[in-house]
Amino acid sequence: MYSFKKEERLCNVKLIEKLFTDGSSFLVYPFRIVWLSECTNPEHPVQVLISVPKKRFKRAVDRNLIKRRIREIYRLHKSEYLFPFLNENSSGLILGITFIGNEIGEYAFLDKKFKDALTRLKKLYLSSHVEKDS
C-alpha cells in the first residue's frame, strides 16, 4: 500500500495534454494541483505527475530533491487521503502536482501543506461528482 509503482506515474503524453487542457486546478502554496476525473486501472486509481520548474530552480540537484520529497509525501499519504473515497466512488483520478515555491521547503512544512492540498482535492472532487449526478 505504501509503494509508488510505475503504473501510478503519469507517462502518457496524451493524458498529460488532456490533464492540462481539460483539468481543474487549485493552489495550496507551495503546490499547484491539477486534477481530472478519469477512468484508469482499478488496481491503481490515481496516476500522478510531479513537476518542479527549471525557471525557479536552475540546478537539477535542487529540482530532484524537491521531487523526491513530494514523491515520498504522496507515497505515505495516498492510502489515507485518496484511495478510500476513490474506491467508494469506483472512479479514477489523474493528478498533476507542480511545485511553485521559490525556495526548498522543509519536509515537515511540505508534508503539512500537501495534506491540506489532498483534503481540498477530496472536497472538490466530491462536490464535482455531486453536481454531475444532479
Side-chain angles (χ1 to χ4, degrees):
M1 204 56 165
Y2 289 111
S3 63
F4 188 56
K5 297 182 179 181
K6 169 73 173 164
E7 293 82 20
E8 296 180 65
R9 298 170 195 249
L10 183 58
C11 300
N12 189 333
V13 176
K14 290 182 182 179
L15 282 179
I16 293 171
E17 289 176 5
K18 187 175 181 181
L19 172 67
F20 286 106
T21 56
D22 300 338
S24 303
S25 68
F26 63 91
L27 293 175
V28 174
Y29 187 83
F31 301 110
R32 177 176 181 256
I33 308 291
V34 182
W35 62 280
L36 181 65
S37 180
E38 183 77 22
C39 293
T40 58
N41 185 356
E43 188 175 319
H44 304 287
V46 181
Q47 285 192 318
V48 180
L49 169 77
I50 298 172
S51 160
V52 179
K54 194 173 186 179
K55 183 177 181 178
R56 294 183 193 262
F57 297 96
K58 302 294 185 200
R59 297 177 58 203
V61 174
D62 296 334
R63 292 193 303 272
N64 291 338
L65 173 67
I66 294 168
K67 284 191 274 189
R68 275 196 306 271
R69 287 184 181 173
I70 294 171
R71 273 196 306 266
E72 180 68 9
I73 293 166
Y74 171 77
R75 184 184 71 82
L76 292 175
H77 297 301
K78 68 181 179 179
S79 60
E80 180 183 346
Y81 288 91
L82 285 178
F83 287 0
F85 79 93
L86 287 174
N87 289 335
E88 288 174 9
N89 296 325
S90 304
S91 63
L93 189 67
I94 298 176
L95 192 61
I97 304 166
T98 306
F99 186 82
I100 60 169
N102 290 328
E103 54 191 43
I104 301 171
E106 293 294 321
Y107 183 86
F109 172 73
L110 295 177
D111 188 41
K112 180 183 177 297
K113 291 298 187 171
F114 196 75
K115 286 179 190 177
D116 295 344
L118 288 179
T119 54
R120 186 165 175 198
L121 173 66
K122 182 178 176 180
K123 289 177 186 174
L124 290 171
Y125 181 85
L126 292 174
S127 67
S128 73
H129 276 279
V130 169
E131 290 173 3
K132 287 181 183 178
D133 293 340
S134 297

